[in-house]
Amino acid sequence: EEKKLEALDRDGAQKSRNEAEKVHGDLRGLQERINGFKKMVASVSSRERSLAARNGELAELEGRLPALKSEMERAREASARARKNRDDQKKLVDDGIDALVADLKVGDACPICGNTIERLHAKGHFEALFRKLDAGCAEAESACAGKERLYNEAAASMDALTKAIAAERGLIAGEGEKIAKERASIADAAGRCGIHDAFGESVTAAVGACAARIAALDLRLAEIGKQEKKVKGLQRELKGLREAKDNALAGVSAAEKEIEALKNQIKLHETSIKTEGERAGKKLADVSEKVSEREWLVAWEADAASAEKALKAAAGEYAARKAELPRLENVRDALVKSMGQAADCVK
């Protein structure tokens, strides 16, 4: 499993993933620049269409202005004539009205307006005439003012439109320079990414391909992660087995030591059993020898109680030693059994 994990090459996969991520970021940045460039081009195109419309408006104003100027001049002339006629008539009346009235009679033609004189009320006749002349003059001046307003408005609009068109042309020219520089910069950046058609579909295709590679590397890294988890689990299991082995070996060593100790104890108890048996036999022989000796009989005859007591003491010691032998044998047998169990543990 470790060789399999090594073959998957996490470092290599991660390095490739990091490189792909960087390339993907560069391509995404390039794609955003291209989108921004297209917006710049679209904005300039919109401005150029707007400029063309304004040029049309300017041409229309330029076509209308001469006619408006002619109308204004004619209105000015008409207003001047009406004003002069009114002023001339007033001066003529003011200067010679008495002489005119003195020579006129009903039925004559009026020397001012030409109408037939029906009544010789000079003052009232000329006041009505002057009101009519003033009204005509005011009408002519109003018409002139209207024509002047139309002309001035058209001229002002044309002037403002001319300035706006000049400013817009300057902006379009500036944007055109920016577009040219950005186009060259984008083409250079695309070339460094191995793309020679930056403004076609190549960048979009490269972004998609890079994203697909990143996804594939992510799957590979995920597989490596699973393999690493598996290897770590096996390593933990192996560590547990090794610890169990070490513990077992330690147990075996302890059991072997215990067996050796039990062997020594058994040997000691066997020696004790042999020694106690020999001592009991010797004590019995000593008692038998004493009973058969003449001296003991003499002692018995001399002091039977003491002799009996000594004999019982010797017999009791023999009995005690004889009774100790089974206990020692039981202890030995128990030790032998324990040694057998320890030996089984070692196996």
Side-chain angles (χ1 to χ4, degrees):
E1 293 297 332
E2 288 181 345
K3 289 182 178 179
K4 183 178 179 181
L5 178 61
E6 184 178 351
L8 289 173
D9 187 14
R10 168 177 273 285
D11 291 340
Q14 188 62 57
K15 181 180 179 182
S16 298
R17 207 276 183 196
N18 293 340
E19 291 173 350
E21 183 68 26
K22 184 180 183 304
V23 172
H24 187 259
D26 292 342
L27 290 172
R28 287 287 297 160
L30 181 60
Q31 193 175 45
E32 290 176 1
R33 287 183 63 188
I34 291 172
N35 291 335
F37 174 80
K38 290 179 178 179
K39 289 180 180 179
M40 288 173 63
V41 172
S43 176
V44 169
S45 296
S46 176
R47 285 190 168 187
E48 288 176 340
R49 288 192 297 272
S50 176
L51 181 62
R54 288 187 173 186
N55 281 325
E57 293 175 9
L58 181 62
E60 183 182 356
L61 285 172
E62 288 175 342
R64 287 174 52 203
L65 200 63
L68 291 172
K69 185 177 181 180
S70 296
E71 291 177 1
M72 179 186 69
E73 290 175 349
R74 287 195 297 271
R76 283 176 176 176
E77 291 173 357
S79 177
R81 285 195 302 270
R83 190 165 52 250
K84 184 178 183 304
N85 181 50
R86 181 198 63 186
D87 293 343
D88 288 347
Q89 297 297 337
K90 281 187 176 183
K91 186 176 184 304
L92 179 61
V93 171
D94 289 340
D95 291 344
I97 189 169
D98 291 336
L100 287 172
V101 171
D103 295 333
L104 291 174
K105 60 183 181 293
V106 175
D108 290 341
C110 177
I112 296 174
C113 65
N115 294 326
T116 300
I117 297 174
E118 297 179 354
R119 294 185 302 273
L120 289 174
H121 297 289
K123 186 176 181 179
H125 173 76
F126 288 115
E127 285 179 354
L129 175 62
F130 291 153
R131 285 195 297 273
K132 183 177 180 181
L133 289 173
D134 286 339
C137 187
E139 183 179 355
E141 287 178 351
S142 177
C144 180
K147 295 298 182 180
E148 286 178 344
R149 185 176 64 255
L150 290 175
Y151 174 80
N152 290 334
E153 288 176 352
S157 295
M158 188 173 73
D159 183 61
L161 193 55
T162 300
K163 291 179 181 178
I165 287 172
E168 189 68 11
R169 282 175 178 166
L171 290 174
I172 289 174
E175 290 296 314
E177 292 178 359
K178 290 181 181 179
I179 286 172
K181 290 180 181 179
E182 184 67 3
R183 182 188 295 275
S185 178
I186 288 173
D188 181 63
R192 290 196 299 271
C193 293
I195 298 172
H196 303 293
D197 181 19
F199 300 97
E201 298 298 324
S202 299
V203 174
T204 300
V207 169
C210 196
R213 174 164 173 73
I214 290 172
L217 287 169
D218 285 341
L219 290 175
R220 181 178 172 187
L221 288 170
E223 181 183 355
I224 291 172
K226 291 179 181 178
Q227 186 65 18
E228 286 175 339
K229 186 176 180 181
K230 183 177 181 180
V231 168
K232 287 180 180 178
L234 291 174
Q235 288 174 342
R236 286 194 298 271
E237 185 178 346
L238 180 61
K239 181 181 178 181
L241 291 173
R242 285 173 177 170
E243 290 176 352
K245 176 185 174 183
D246 293 340
N247 292 334
L249 291 175
V252 169
S253 178
E256 288 176 343
K257 290 178 181 180
E258 183 181 356
I259 290 171
E260 189 64 29
L262 290 171
K263 285 180 179 179
N264 292 332
Q265 291 181 31
I266 291 169
K267 185 176 181 180
L268 288 173
H269 278 77
E270 286 178 343
T271 301
S272 296
I273 291 170
K274 181 179 179 182
T275 301
E276 289 298 323
E278 290 174 351
R279 286 177 179 175
K282 186 175 181 302
K283 180 58 67 177
L284 179 63
D286 290 344
V287 172
S288 298
E289 183 179 352
K290 286 181 180 181
V291 171
S292 61
E293 287 178 355
R294 182 175 180 76
E295 290 83 359
W296 189 84
L297 294 174
V298 173
W300 177 270
E301 289 176 355
D303 187 358
S306 296
E308 183 180 3
K309 184 177 180 181
L311 181 60
K312 286 182 177 180
E317 183 179 352
Y318 169 76
R321 291 184 178 278
K322 191 69 173 177
E324 180 68 10
L325 287 176
R327 186 188 71 78
L328 292 173
E329 288 175 350
N330 288 335
V331 172
R332 180 199 62 190
D333 293 341
L335 291 172
V336 170
K337 183 178 180 181
S338 296
M339 185 179 69
Q341 292 174 346
D344 291 337
C345 290
V346 171
K347 293 178 181 180

